Amino acid sequence: FAALAGVSYGHIALTKPCPAFSPFCETKPALPPGASYDYDIKSPIPYDGPLTKTDKLWPEPVETWTAGEDVTIKFMSQSASHGGGSLAIGLGFTSGGPSVMIFQRLRHAFFNGPSSSNTAEVLEYTFKLPADVPSCDNAVISMVFFNRLGVREMYHLTSNVKITSNSGTTSFTGPQMVIANHAGYPTIPESDDYDIATGVSLFENAPNITISMNGGYSAGGSAPPKYEAPAPSNVQPIASPAPVESPVPSSTAPLPLAPAVPTTADYAGNPAPAAPTYQARVAPIPAKCK
């Protein structure tokens, strides 16, 4: 693994939907007052820093997604993919708050199968946006990636899109976005075992949460079937559960990140910590759904 451990050039970044505040997207809104472009958008999140590159959003949605229809995400061609890893896309209604995973590519993200290459084979994925997501003028789309090879890192970018939906729902339930390789959260160890090195157990044990359009969230909800994409040419989203209409929680107390963390035996030499809570480093900011 030493060959990749010291690599610092180009890592991973979305170009579609355009993350805040990337200068590398084909189309993007104007910067909000006082903001500047992030020319280091491909770098991982500092271990003890904020959970995302920025808690700010573009002043307007970068594109429109329609519930029940296919959406496509794209990545920079100069990305360094570290022999694959686990990738997830999440949907949320707050900037800096928790999100629900709507797509996963575990183990072999950016590749068609096992690889030790640092050059991506796959730079876009298409999946179906669940039909029961609510309409939202400014939903938050998050991307998380955990590399298989090299220094233990977390990549976490956010963008904002408009979602049109006929679901009539005001909340959405599904598995909570995984956070790892960050202070206070599990560390995914480097390993020859793909499942261990890419944190598969964290994704499989992610608890369900219900997120509401007004920015509130609560634990629980109907569990959707787990899904692992067999190949990029036949990628499908995580199946969505039946809509769950939950009352707005009276508080947004931290939620458990997972009901259980991998066993110490799975993380030999790097014991898994106790199950942490979701700790946003900034106060969640409502994304202004209408």
Side-chain angles (χ1 to χ4, degrees):
F1 301 143
L4 288 180
V7 173
S8 59
Y9 65 89
H11 296 289
I12 293 293
L14 279 167
T15 57
K16 176 179 171 37
C18 188
F21 292 113
S22 174
F24 302 115
C25 306
E26 292 183 8
T27 59
K28 54 187 176 294
L31 286 170
S36 58
Y37 285 121
D38 182 358
Y39 288 93
D40 199 29
I41 194 75
K42 292 186 290 184
S43 292
I45 302 300
Y47 178 77
D48 57 355
L51 286 175
T52 62
K53 288 285 283 183
T54 177
D55 63 307
K56 305 295 192 297
L57 299 173
W58 292 107
E60 60 186 66
V62 297
E63 55 187 78
T64 298
W65 290 6
T66 302
E69 295 188 4
D70 285 349
V71 295
T72 297
I73 57 174
K74 296 182 179 181
F75 297 84
M76 292 183 68
S77 60
Q78 297 85 6
S79 295
S81 43
H82 301 281
S86 289
L87 168 74
I89 301 296
L91 167 67
F93 301 125
T94 58
S95 176
S99 59
V100 169
M101 289 186 283
I102 55 175
F103 170 79
Q104 295 176 359
R105 174 59 173 158
L106 304 183
R107 303 177 180 86
H108 311 304
F110 308 112
F111 292 95
N112 293 306
S115 176
S116 294
S117 174
N118 205 30
T119 303
E121 297 174 341
V122 179
L123 289 172
E124 69 177 70
Y125 293 98
T126 296
F127 60 94
K128 193 177 295 295
L129 184 65
D132 59 330
V133 300
S135 291
C136 183
D137 284 353
N138 212 30
V140 178
I141 301 301
S142 56
M143 178 222 80
V144 166
F145 171 66
F146 303 106
N147 52 302
R148 185 176 72 88
L149 299 178
V151 177
R152 306 291 78 202
E153 297 171 332
M154 177 176 74
Y155 299 80
H156 193 178
L157 299 174
T158 54
S159 184
N160 45 310
V161 306
K162 178 178 180 178
I163 294 178
T164 61
S165 174
N166 295 320
S167 67
T169 58
T170 59
S171 64
F172 183 64
T173 298
Q176 185 178 359
M177 177 64 82
V178 171
I179 302 294
N181 296 345
H182 195 279
Y185 293 85
T187 295
I188 299 171
E190 194 170 15
S191 172
D192 290 328
D193 185 312
Y194 270 85
D195 284 9
I196 292 176
T198 60
V200 170
S201 61
L202 293 175
F203 288 89
E204 292 179 341
N205 292 322
N208 272 25
I209 60 170
T210 296
I211 53 176
S212 300
M213 290 174 59
N214 68 351
Y217 58 93
S218 57
S222 300
K226 301 295 182 182
Y227 182 84
E228 162 65 357
S233 61
N234 186 31
V235 172
Q236 298 292 328
I238 301 173
S240 175
V244 175
E245 293 299 326
S246 299
V248 177
S250 57
S251 67
T252 53
L255 298 175
L257 180 65
V261 295
T263 66
T264 302
D266 289 336
Y267 283 63
N270 187 12
T277 55
Y278 185 94
Q279 298 289 341
R281 295 303 178 90
V282 294
I285 303 170
K288 299 181 180 178
C289 287
K290 294 182 180 178

